[in-house]
Amino acid sequence: MSRTNLDERQLQQRHKAGNQAFLLMAFLLLADMALQNYGMKWLEYPLSNYAIFMLGVGSYLVRLIWSGAYVGPGGAQGGAKGKNVLGALLAIVVAACILIVTFVNPTAQSAANSGANGKVILIISVTAGLVILSTVYLIRRRNNRAE
Amino acid sequence: MGKNLRLKASRAAKDMSQKQLADAVGVTRQTIIAIENGDYNPTLRLCIDICVTLGKTLDQLFWEGTKDEQNEPG
């Protein structure tokens, strides 16, 4: 077994999905460049690249989960559980910070007045973290159940 | 690639679940399911690990010969 704790089928699936996601992103970025060259703007510059990036990474992630190549074998071991608990604690701490910043000390956010909404970004980060943790938990349950 | 019914039968004969076999050879249950269903072609290393775990030879579990070869005595 490899250092990544994935079995051979999972590694094969990852390589396949990764290669295809990379080619998809390269194609979409080139298509975006070409469209912008002809004056067709479907989205402003940094956002368009970000959207393409998210599409590539999102498709990669969905394919990994779909093909069962996201969590390796031996997921029920203590180390993995410790990581889960640590992740959940981190998410709770960040969520508490958001609540404090939002309701207890709302003036604290005025320091970041650069246009990006820090609260929203933090909430999205915490939500993404919790979604990842839940996904890993569900996959481990599916992997460890009897036939 | 067809279903590997011989692997399934050998596993059942040893009274092992897919999960138990997967844990014994260090892969996920989905990988064992894929091998049994003929959706994944395992490496020689994994084939040997499965054979050792189930007490069979590579020929008995993974050889896909012609019908004549399979029916040969001995």
Side-chain angles (χ1 to χ4, degrees):
Chain A
M1 217 184 320
S2 78
R3 197 164 47 85
T4 53
N5 288 331
L6 297 168
D7 69 31
E8 55 182 50
R9 182 191 62 86
Q10 291 178 310
L11 284 175
Q12 206 179 74
Q13 293 285 346
R14 275 203 173 203
H15 292 159
K16 191 178 165 192
N19 286 341
Q20 287 175 352
F22 175 74
L23 288 174
L24 174 75
M25 275 206 294
F27 171 75
L28 289 178
L29 281 171
L30 280 173
D32 179 50
M33 270 171 59
L35 282 177
Q36 297 218 358
N37 224 12
Y38 285 110
M40 291 172 69
K41 274 195 176 177
W42 61 285
L43 212 57
E44 285 303 313
Y45 158 64
L47 276 179
S48 63
N49 278 13
Y50 183 71
I52 291 170
F53 171 75
M54 287 308 287
L55 189 74
V57 172
S59 72
Y60 175 63
L61 196 64
V62 168
R63 286 191 62 190
L64 285 195
I65 295 170
W66 190 257
S67 60
Y70 189 63
V71 179
Q77 286 161 4
K81 271 188 185 169
K83 270 187 197 169
N84 269 359
V85 171
L86 195 68
L89 281 177
L90 190 69
I92 290 167
V93 168
V94 177
C97 290
I98 294 168
L99 286 175
I100 289 167
V101 167
T102 311
F103 297 110
V104 181
N105 187 14
T107 53
Q109 63 186 299
S110 61
N113 54 357
S114 58
N117 194 338
K119 269 191 296 183
V120 174
I121 293 171
L122 271 177
I123 289 170
I124 291 172
S125 308
V126 172
T127 311
L130 288 174
V131 167
I132 290 170
L133 282 174
S134 324
T135 310
V136 169
Y137 173 74
L138 288 173
I139 291 171
R140 285 212 176 109
R141 271 196 64 174
R142 199 183 71 166
N143 283 353
N144 289 322
R145 77 177 176 207
E147 282 165 61
Chain B
M1 198 164 48
K3 287 191 177 191
N4 193 337
L5 296 175
R6 284 171 290 170
L7 172 58
K8 204 167 189 170
S10 303
R11 181 175 58 75
K14 274 248 172 188
D15 203 20
M16 286 180 93
S17 66
Q18 288 170 337
K19 175 75 185 132
Q20 285 168 329
L21 178 59
D23 286 343
V25 296
V27 298
T28 56
R29 193 173 63 93
Q30 279 73 21
T31 301
I32 298 296
I33 293 170
I35 295 169
E36 285 186 357
N37 288 339
D39 296 331
Y40 174 65
N41 196 6
T43 60
L44 186 56
R45 181 73 260 161
L46 181 55
C47 289
I48 291 171
D49 286 347
I50 291 172
C51 288
V52 168
T53 306
L54 295 178
K56 299 278 181 184
T57 63
L58 281 171
D59 277 6
Q60 286 171 322
L61 290 187
F62 294 104
W63 180 251
E64 289 180 359
T66 58
K67 277 189 177 177
D68 293 341
E69 279 177 338
Q70 284 176 2
N71 292 334
E72 271 178 18

